[in-house]
Amino acid sequence: MAGKSDLTVPVSISAGIHIGFIIILALGISFDDKPKQMQTAAASAPAVQAIVIDQQKVNDRVEQLKKQKQDVVKQEKARQAELERKASEARREREREQEKIKTLEIQRKQKEQETQKANDAAKASQAKQVLEKERADKAEVVRKQKEQEQKASEDAAEKAAEKRKQEEAAAKKAQEERQRADDERKRKEDAERKRKAEADTKARQEREMAEAMAAEQDSLSKTRNKQVLSEVDKYKAMIIATIQRNLVVDESMRGKSCRVFIRLASDGFVTTSQTLDGDQVVCRAAKASINKAGRLPVSPEPAVYQQLKEINLTVSPEFN
């Protein structure tokens, strides 16, 4: 630092003298009219010589300073250029960033629009699916209702057909039974007429025998009456059992009964059967059973027969 200070003072002085000399020349000052000054200058010759000696250093220093200044100017220009370049690059970068931001914003808006469209489409699709599901559910309910209605209709038709079949079978059976009853009735009527003639003959013979045995019967009447009553009960039970065997029963007849009147020939042939009172279904079944039997058990003993040839019975269906 001291070396620089020592150099700076002479240089400053030299520079000042040099500048002053240049100013004098520029102003055209003549040194002829001023000998004293020249003398003074001559007297100062050693100093000027010293100054001239250092002039080269001054010039070198001036050139150095100029060069430094130029370098500084160049550096400043370079710095300014670099700053401008960087500023321009930064501006272009900002522009690129702004353009990128605009592009990204456009892309974002496009994505938002696409997302919104996708959401709207998804909502529409979901709403459509919900609507289709509701329609499908309603259609399924209607289909099931129709299936139930169809099944109910088929069941009803099947039951109706079965009922009609049963009714037809019952009607056919009843017709067959009526036909058999008519045939049996005709046969019985023919047989009745024959038996009646035989019965008349037999009755006459029996009356004759009865008259012959009247006395004996009078003595045994009490004992005989008891035996007759016992036989009557026995054959009455047999008659009811025969009717029960031929009786067609169903659940609707449970607990019901019918009183019937029966007239029998001596051989047990049913000449007359009538229903007196009771359940109509039981009465029809009882009459059909009697007609189907045709003959009912009778005792060969006239006294018992006399008690049973016209009887009233109560028919009550029996269930196993």
Side-chain angles (χ1 to χ4, degrees):
M1 294 295 294
K4 287 184 179 180
S5 298
D6 294 340
L7 182 61
T8 301
V9 173
V11 170
S12 299
I13 295 171
S14 177
I17 293 171
H18 185 70
I19 292 169
F21 181 74
I22 292 172
I23 292 171
I24 291 171
L25 289 177
L27 293 175
I29 299 173
S30 174
F31 293 99
D32 293 336
D33 296 332
K34 297 180 179 180
K36 291 181 178 180
Q37 292 179 355
M38 290 296 293
Q39 291 177 357
T40 305
S44 303
V48 171
Q49 186 177 4
I51 293 171
V52 171
I53 293 171
D54 295 331
Q55 184 63 42
Q56 187 62 40
K57 292 181 179 181
V58 171
N59 291 336
D60 293 339
R61 182 61 180 168
V62 169
E63 290 298 325
Q64 185 180 5
L65 292 174
K66 286 182 180 179
K67 187 175 183 303
Q68 289 178 351
K69 185 177 180 180
Q70 289 175 355
D71 291 340
V72 170
V73 171
K74 287 181 180 179
Q75 289 177 359
E76 182 64 21
K77 287 182 179 179
R79 188 180 68 84
Q80 291 294 333
E82 181 66 17
L83 290 175
E84 289 179 0
R85 185 188 66 77
K86 289 182 178 180
S88 177
E89 182 66 24
R91 185 172 58 257
R92 287 194 296 272
E93 184 66 23
R94 285 195 303 273
E95 289 176 355
R96 286 194 296 270
E97 289 295 328
Q98 290 177 354
E99 188 65 26
K100 185 177 180 181
I101 291 172
K102 289 181 181 179
T103 302
L104 292 174
E105 181 65 17
I106 292 172
Q107 291 176 353
R108 185 186 65 79
K109 289 183 178 180
Q110 289 177 348
K111 287 183 178 180
E112 286 183 352
Q113 292 176 354
E114 291 174 356
T115 302
Q116 184 64 34
K117 288 181 180 180
N119 291 336
D120 294 341
K123 290 180 180 179
S125 176
Q126 185 177 6
K128 184 178 179 181
Q129 291 176 357
V130 171
L131 181 60
E132 290 177 351
K133 186 176 184 303
E134 290 177 353
R135 290 178 178 174
D137 292 341
K138 290 180 180 179
E140 182 65 15
V141 171
V142 172
R143 185 186 66 78
K144 288 182 178 180
Q145 288 178 347
K146 288 184 178 180
E147 284 184 354
Q148 292 176 352
E149 292 174 358
Q150 183 177 0
K151 188 175 185 303
S153 178
E154 291 175 353
D155 291 342
E158 185 177 353
K159 290 180 180 179
E162 183 65 23
K163 184 178 180 181
R164 184 169 59 252
K165 183 178 179 181
Q166 292 176 354
E167 291 175 349
E168 290 176 353
K172 182 179 180 181
K173 184 177 180 181
Q175 179 64 28
E176 292 174 352
E177 290 178 352
R178 285 195 297 271
Q179 185 64 41
R180 285 196 299 269
D182 290 342
D183 294 342
E184 185 66 19
R185 180 178 54 80
K186 290 179 181 179
R187 185 185 66 77
K188 288 179 179 179
E189 288 177 352
D190 293 340
E192 178 66 22
R193 285 191 292 270
K194 182 178 179 181
R195 281 196 297 271
K196 187 177 181 181
E198 294 174 350
D200 290 342
T201 302
K202 186 176 180 179
R204 185 178 68 252
Q205 293 174 352
E206 288 176 351
R207 283 195 300 272
E208 292 175 352
M209 291 177 62
E211 290 174 356
M213 297 176 63
E216 184 179 357
Q217 288 177 351
D218 287 339
S219 64
L220 298 175
S221 60
K222 292 181 180 180
T223 303
R224 186 61 177 167
N225 286 336
K226 290 180 180 180
Q227 293 177 348
V228 168
L229 291 175
S230 177
E231 287 294 305
V232 168
D233 293 336
K234 174 182 174 182
Y235 279 88
K236 185 181 290 186
M238 293 171 64
I239 291 171
I240 293 175
T242 301
I243 295 172
Q244 288 287 355
R245 281 197 301 272
N246 294 308
L247 189 65
V248 179
V249 299
D250 59 44
E251 283 296 323
S252 65
M253 298 163 60
R254 186 179 291 275
K256 299 176 182 179
S257 62
C258 177
R259 290 181 64 250
V260 297
F261 167 77
I262 303 172
R263 180 179 290 117
L264 299 173
S266 58
D267 60 349
F269 182 79
V270 179
T271 59
T272 303
S273 64
Q274 296 178 349
T275 57
L276 301 177
D277 55 55
D279 182 79
Q280 293 183 358
V281 176
V282 178
C283 288
R284 285 196 298 270
K287 188 173 180 63
S289 175
I290 295 169
N291 292 334
K292 184 176 181 181
R295 293 178 183 274
L296 297 176
V298 293
S299 174
E301 296 183 15
V304 178
Y305 168 73
Q306 290 299 320
Q307 296 290 328
L308 295 175
K309 67 179 181 179
E310 293 183 355
I311 57 173
N312 293 332
L313 298 175
T314 298
V315 178
S316 298
E318 295 177 354
F319 294 84
N320 296 328

